[in-house]
Amino acid sequence: MSIEAAQVMSESEAPLAVTVRARRSIGRQAVIDTLARPGARLGLAWLGILAFFAVFGPFIANTHPILMKSEGHWSSPMLRSLTPVDVLLLAATGVAIVLWIGRWFSSGIGLLIVIATPIVLAPAAYLLVQPPANVDYSLYRTMISEGKVERVAFTIIPYSPSDRLRDRTDARLSPPNAAHWFGTDNDGADVFSNILHASRVALSIGFMAT
């Protein structure tokens, strides 16, 4: 291709690029310009990880077993322990995934639907989802040690953030190890579990501040 032909082609493509850019909304163009920077993409990826932990925290770090077989009966203590907030976050995330697959999430209406989902479902969630008021986290460890559990499956981190491990005298201020990746605090709680579940608070404050 000659230099003259290349110049003619570039000049003909320039108005098209300007037209495409002009058709975009200010918000959409701002997002495109921002994500063109590597640092912005890295920050978005980190926010995605925090959002994943915030939504699926109970399925990653939880003292309640995912499945447990005792006296011939299967049960899921983890599902019974879910709070209304857990259910609402899962519902909003499910709606967001459906809208994203259908390519509707990029519109303002899609974002409004995701925000409206937990608001609309909140009364039903708080009415129907009722986790145990008093939780004895040592119950499962006691049942396992006494041989009352036939089969059990735990989450990756088998400790809830409020599990103080009071039944273990060596639990306080434990250094990082295979059982506690970030160690334990002065009360015996798993530090990594607390950090993981605290992502909800961090994202909530950041979202409201923004």
Side-chain angles (χ1 to χ4, degrees):
M1 182 182 295
S2 63
I3 299 177
E4 292 79 3
Q7 290 177 347
V8 171
M9 182 175 293
S10 61
E11 291 175 357
S12 63
E13 291 176 350
L16 179 61
V18 173
T19 303
V20 172
R21 187 181 182 94
R23 288 178 180 176
R24 295 171 181 160
S25 64
I26 296 177
R28 185 179 181 86
Q29 188 59 48
V31 172
I32 293 175
D33 292 341
T34 301
L35 294 182
R37 304 174 181 178
R41 293 197 296 268
L42 182 61
L44 183 62
W46 176 244
L47 286 177
I49 294 174
L50 288 179
F52 179 83
F53 285 160
V55 175
F56 299 102
F59 299 87
I60 302 174
N62 205 322
T63 302
H64 302 279
I66 302 174
L67 288 174
M68 184 176 68
K69 185 178 182 181
S70 179
E71 298 180 354
H73 299 286
W74 285 97
S75 63
S76 179
M78 182 195 67
L79 292 181
R80 290 202 309 267
S81 69
L82 292 179
T83 65
V85 175
D86 297 329
V87 175
L88 292 174
L89 284 176
L90 289 171
T93 303
V95 171
I97 292 174
V98 171
L99 293 176
W100 181 73
I101 294 176
R103 298 179 181 241
W104 302 316
F105 187 75
S106 58
S107 64
I109 297 178
L111 182 60
L112 289 177
I113 293 175
V114 174
I115 296 175
T117 297
I119 298 176
V120 174
L121 297 179
Y126 279 90
L127 180 64
L128 299 177
V129 180
Q130 298 180 352
N134 298 318
V135 180
D136 181 10
Y137 292 110
S138 63
L139 172 65
Y140 310 110
R141 292 188 286 269
T142 302
M143 292 177 64
I144 293 174
S145 63
E146 293 178 354
K148 295 181 180 180
V149 177
E150 301 170 30
R151 291 189 178 182
V152 63
F154 286 98
T155 56
I156 299 175
I157 309 297
Y159 303 103
S160 297
S162 55
D163 186 357
R164 308 304 180 191
L165 298 173
R166 293 188 175 92
D167 55 320
R168 287 174 43 187
T169 57
D170 60 337
R172 294 180 57 189
L173 298 177
S174 173
N177 51 58
H180 305 282
W181 296 357
F182 287 3
T184 59
D185 61 15
N186 191 48
D187 295 323
D190 187 85
V191 174
F192 185 79
S193 178
N194 275 272
I195 293 176
L196 189 146
H197 283 266
S199 59
R200 284 186 183 180
V201 180
L203 285 179
S204 299
I205 294 175
F207 179 77
M208 288 186 293
T210 303

